[in-house]
Amino acid sequence: MQITSSTQGYALNRAYASTGHAVPVKNSATGNTEQNQQSAQLDGLKSRDREVKAHEQAHLSAAGGFALSAAKFTYVVGPDGQRYATGGEVKIDVSPVEGDPEATLRKAETIRRAALAPAEPSSQDYAVAAKAAAMAAKAAAELAKTAIEPAGLGGTLDVVA
């Protein structure tokens, strides 16, 4: 099983949402020129690009060997013709380690840390962390069960008072 942990992209303006390209607009109410509007759009795009890339890098750094892919990004083209990341994802393996609840517990803890590593986890990140917590709880229950089971099957215990 794999879960995709991703940042939630958002449109900086309606034109980005529909076309993926900047559409310069003159705002006569405030006197902003087309150039000032483009500059503001570029500043927003550059900021979002840095935020998205840092977010996904945090996942990768914390996931270690459980990351199934490098970060993949969703881009828009700014008014300067450059591409800017507005969303991203890192695929993480969240399958249990078959036959080894202790390893599964360690893996679940790593996955949870990876999901919550960014400064501002997304709703998808929280969902991945919840799945990891459930996997950890199941592994811990299996460990507890094996700890209280007798060492031998069908063995007896002699108790002397």
Side-chain angles (χ1 to χ4, degrees):
M1 173 191 272
Q2 68 184 19
I3 297 290
T4 300
S5 173
S6 64
T7 55
Q8 300 298 311
Y10 61 87
L12 296 173
N13 64 32
R14 290 190 191 278
Y16 282 105
S18 62
T19 66
H21 289 52
V23 175
V25 177
K26 183 174 181 177
N27 187 341
S28 59
T30 62
N32 285 346
T33 64
E34 183 176 330
Q35 187 175 15
N36 289 342
Q37 184 69 20
Q38 286 181 356
S39 178
Q41 288 176 345
L42 279 175
D43 289 345
L45 285 170
K46 289 175 183 178
S47 175
R48 179 63 182 162
D49 183 84
R50 284 188 302 272
E51 177 187 325
V52 168
K53 289 177 179 175
H55 183 105
E56 299 309 327
Q57 184 58 49
H59 287 310
L60 280 172
S61 295
F66 300 122
L68 296 173
S69 70
K72 294 182 182 173
F73 300 102
T74 304
Y75 294 95
V76 297
V77 177
D80 60 353
Q82 299 297 312
R83 293 178 356 141
Y84 297 94
T86 58
E89 68 181 30
V90 172
K91 292 185 182 197
I92 299 174
D93 175 10
V94 296
S95 61
V97 179
E98 292 299 321
D100 192 345
E102 191 171 330
T104 297
L105 183 58
R106 286 191 308 272
K107 181 177 181 180
E109 290 168 352
T110 299
I111 293 166
R112 185 176 178 283
R113 280 192 305 275
L116 299 177
E120 294 182 29
S122 68
S123 58
Q124 178 66 22
D125 296 339
Y126 285 115
V128 172
K131 283 198 175 282
M135 185 168 78
K138 184 176 178 182
E142 288 177 30
L143 282 172
K145 181 180 174 185
T146 58
I148 60 172
E149 287 180 352
L153 296 176
T156 60
L157 179 64
D158 292 330
V159 177
V160 178

